[in-house]
Amino acid sequence: MPDPSLHVEGIFVKEKEMMKNDSYSNSNGKTKKKNKKKNKNKKKKMSAEQCLASKSINQWVFLESPSHPIDDFQVPKTHRILQPVVFELHSHTICSDGFLSPSALIERAHRKGVKVLALTDHDTMAGIPEALEAARKFGIRIIPGVEISTIFSPRGDSNEEPVHILAYYGSCGPVRFEELENCLANIRDGRYLRAKDMLSKLNNLKMPLKWEHVTKIAGNGVAPGRLHVARAMVEAGHVENLKQAFNKYLHDGGPAYATGSEPSAEEAVQLICRTGGVAALAHPWALKNPVAVIKSLKAAGLHAMEVYRSDGKLAGFSDLADAYELLKLGGSDYHGRGGHDESDLGSVTLPVLAVHEFLKFARPIWCNALKDVLLSFSEDPSESNLDNILGFGRVKDHKGDTTLSCGKDIVDLCLSSWLTKEERQALELEALRLKLSHTVISKGGFEMSVISR
């Protein structure tokens, strides 16, 4: 099991073995022991496997194509470190319950050295377009994501518990986005009822809050969550801080806790699979019965689970991931609250091999999703299907000098912007390019219309 502490290729891998306490002789012929601390801090060279994994990761992150296949890549004897790559796979903005705008989040990620960031707001992907735009300025690669609120109900057991499922999508976003968005919208609508239920319970506990106060904290168009209620409690003087609000009143099953219209955890996993995403269980250490949850979700199609944490605690969850053959991931769950009790962006250190396994599994899924999106457009080159491609502001030339004159241009721009050379070749979209070469696209300002010849 990889242990995460030594930084290799910008991804951290901990030394598994301590350096031996060798002896040496000084000029006086006396034998002394080497300093243990110095040995402890020495970084272990990358193994051949780690070096190959790092090479593959860099090619995907920076869209670099090797001059020869990766399997033929010769590992340098020096095991030189290439460009550092730091992954952040769990973050939030003001579009859900975070404190930073998507642009501000990206700027902070850049300062922290993050090169790949998954934006995973609760039950919304509204922040993705702004994040993509900001990321272009800093050379950060965005993984469009979402953290879906669900309920797990054990069979034959009335004890429900909330479970959060992370969805990771490729650069083209979800296939059948409308289906995903309908589910997320239903959850967001339920959040309003849930928040009002929490306020009613707090009122019965002699801690009244005004609805206008909570919605103002949440922000315009943002479905209120527990964090917004907790902030209102602090500002109203009912509790001293957010931690106290959660620990005493708003925790799962707490006296002011309430549920909304969340789907079952199994349904959410299946939805992610249908829409071209990778499904991962978020913070399993917060669950009452993680084994039952993991077993059930694995049967539904779960691909991964969070294992790596900023505090380095792996025991148990890594073993569970192995037992159920799940990919091992992790992220800071950054909200931007500030203070010493929150992990910062990029602080959860992922082993290079874990990242490589994630990308090796996810990339074919994302490539197929891109192919499906482009095929849908070729079969029906309507403005609505064009919007499915442009929905996240995804096709936008950063130099501003590309003219999209036909459907083929869209295909070429999508492929060159999102995929490595090997991925582009593997998709075999020549027939689709030829078909779309007869589709004319006229563009005026920010509006684009499609005209078939």
Side-chain angles (χ1 to χ4, degrees):
M1 178 185 71
D3 193 351
S5 217
L6 171 65
H7 191 234
V8 178
E9 284 279 327
I11 302 166
F12 297 78
V13 181
K14 198 175 190 179
E15 290 184 290
K16 293 181 180 178
E17 296 181 356
M18 295 292 293
M19 298 289 290
K20 291 183 179 180
N21 202 9
D22 296 330
S23 302
Y24 69 95
S25 298
N26 63 7
S27 58
N28 295 324
K30 295 181 179 180
T31 301
K32 293 185 177 181
K33 297 288 185 180
K34 287 184 179 180
N35 190 309
K36 288 184 179 181
K37 289 185 179 179
K38 288 183 179 180
N39 286 336
K40 193 175 182 179
N41 292 331
K42 282 186 178 180
K43 292 184 178 181
K44 188 170 128 181
K45 291 181 180 179
M46 286 196 300
S47 67
E49 185 181 14
Q50 290 171 330
C51 195
L52 288 171
S54 296
K55 182 74 173 179
S56 177
I57 291 168
N58 272 264
Q59 287 162 6
W60 179 79
V61 173
F62 303 106
L63 293 181
E64 297 172 346
S65 298
S67 58
H68 39 72
I70 189 68
D71 291 339
D72 295 334
F73 175 70
Q74 299 299 314
V75 181
K77 292 181 179 180
T78 56
H79 289 177
R80 293 179 182 177
I81 292 177
L82 303 176
Q83 185 166 355
V85 181
V86 177
F87 278 66
E88 171 55 71
L89 297 180
H90 195 160
S91 62
H92 299 276
T93 72
I94 56 173
C95 294
S96 62
D97 59 349
F99 285 72
L100 300 180
S101 68
S103 296
L105 180 80
I106 298 303
E107 290 177 10
R108 184 173 185 85
H110 173 66
R111 292 198 301 270
K112 295 298 179 180
V114 174
K115 287 297 182 183
V116 179
L117 181 137
L119 178 52
T120 54
D121 274 321
H122 292 281
D123 308 312
T124 181
M125 299 185 78
I128 301 296
E130 182 181 336
L132 284 167
E133 185 66 26
R136 290 187 184 96
K137 302 175 185 177
F138 299 108
I140 292 177
R141 182 151 187 170
I142 298 296
I143 296 177
V146 61
E147 185 173 1
I148 303 178
S149 305
T150 75
I151 291 294
F152 176 73
S153 302
R155 290 183 179 179
D157 192 338
S158 60
N159 294 324
E160 297 182 337
E161 70 170 315
V163 173
H164 289 184
I165 310 296
L166 292 161
Y168 299 113
Y169 293 98
S171 297
C172 72
V175 179
R176 295 185 291 277
F177 178 73
E178 295 80 7
E179 182 182 1
L180 174 66
E181 178 55 29
N182 287 339
C183 174
L184 299 180
N186 186 56
I187 298 172
R188 293 195 299 269
D189 290 343
R191 279 179 171 270
Y192 287 94
L193 298 175
R194 175 196 188 206
K196 289 182 178 180
D197 194 6
M198 285 191 283
L199 263 60
S200 176
K201 291 182 178 182
L202 287 170
N203 185 61
N204 293 335
L205 294 169
K206 310 301 181 184
M207 290 181 287
L209 292 176
K210 293 183 178 180
W211 175 247
E212 294 76 15
H213 187 188
V214 175
T215 56
K216 182 179 179 181
I217 291 173
N220 186 33
V222 177
R226 279 188 287 181
L227 183 61
H228 304 123
V229 175
R231 289 173 60 184
M233 292 174 68
V234 174
E235 292 180 12
H238 297 318
V239 291
E240 295 181 2
N241 50 49
L242 297 176
K243 186 175 182 180
Q244 187 179 84
F246 275 89
N247 288 348
K248 293 187 67 174
Y249 304 103
L250 301 177
H251 63 273
D252 296 348
Y257 177 75
T259 58
S261 56
E262 297 88 352
S264 73
E266 293 86 352
E267 290 173 346
V269 169
Q270 292 165 357
L271 174 62
I272 294 168
C273 294
R274 286 198 305 273
T275 53
V278 175
L281 176 62
H283 34 70
W285 43 86
L287 298 174
K288 299 174 184 176
N289 191 355
V291 175
V293 173
I294 293 168
K295 182 179 180 180
S296 180
L297 296 190
K298 172 64 178 181
L302 186 71
H303 305 123
M305 62 183 282
E306 287 192 312
V307 167
Y308 300 103
R309 302 169 50 169
S310 59
D311 59 12
K313 293 181 180 178
L314 302 175
F317 300 108
S318 181
D319 293 339
L320 279 174
D322 288 334
Y324 289 94
E325 298 180 337
L326 296 170
L327 296 167
K328 301 176 186 179
L329 303 178
S332 67
D333 197 5
Y334 182 78
H335 286 75
R337 292 188 295 268
H340 301 293
D341 60 340
E342 182 178 34
S343 300
D344 210 338
L345 292 168
S347 63
V348 175
T349 55
L350 299 175
V352 64
L353 296 180
V355 174
H356 180 247
E357 287 301 312
F358 168 58
L359 292 179
K360 187 170 71 172
F361 179 84
R363 286 165 64 178
I365 294 175
W366 296 340
C367 284
N368 286 333
L370 169 58
K371 186 174 182 178
D372 288 346
V373 169
L374 294 176
L375 284 174
S376 294
F377 177 65
S378 70
E379 293 168 0
D380 178 17
S382 61
E383 287 193 61
S384 61
N385 273 334
L386 183 61
D387 287 340
N388 288 336
I389 300 175
L390 305 178
F392 289 159
R394 294 176 292 232
V395 179
K396 190 167 185 179
D397 177 45
H398 66 282
K399 295 180 181 178
D401 58 2
T402 294
T403 301
L404 300 177
S405 60
C406 68
K408 177 180 175 295
D409 293 334
I410 284 188
V411 176
D412 292 339
L413 185 55
C414 288
L415 299 183
S416 63
S417 300
W418 300 336
L419 305 179
T420 64
K421 180 179 178 181
E422 285 68 33
E423 288 172 328
R424 296 196 296 271
Q425 293 173 343
L427 280 183
E428 299 177 350
L429 293 176
E430 289 305 321
L432 185 146
R433 284 192 184 91
L434 180 62
K435 183 177 181 179
L436 286 175
S437 64
H438 300 294
T439 301
V440 178
I441 296 175
S442 62
K443 181 172 62 174
F446 293 102
E447 296 182 0
M448 302 180 72
S449 60
V450 180
I451 307 169
S452 295
R453 285 177 177 168

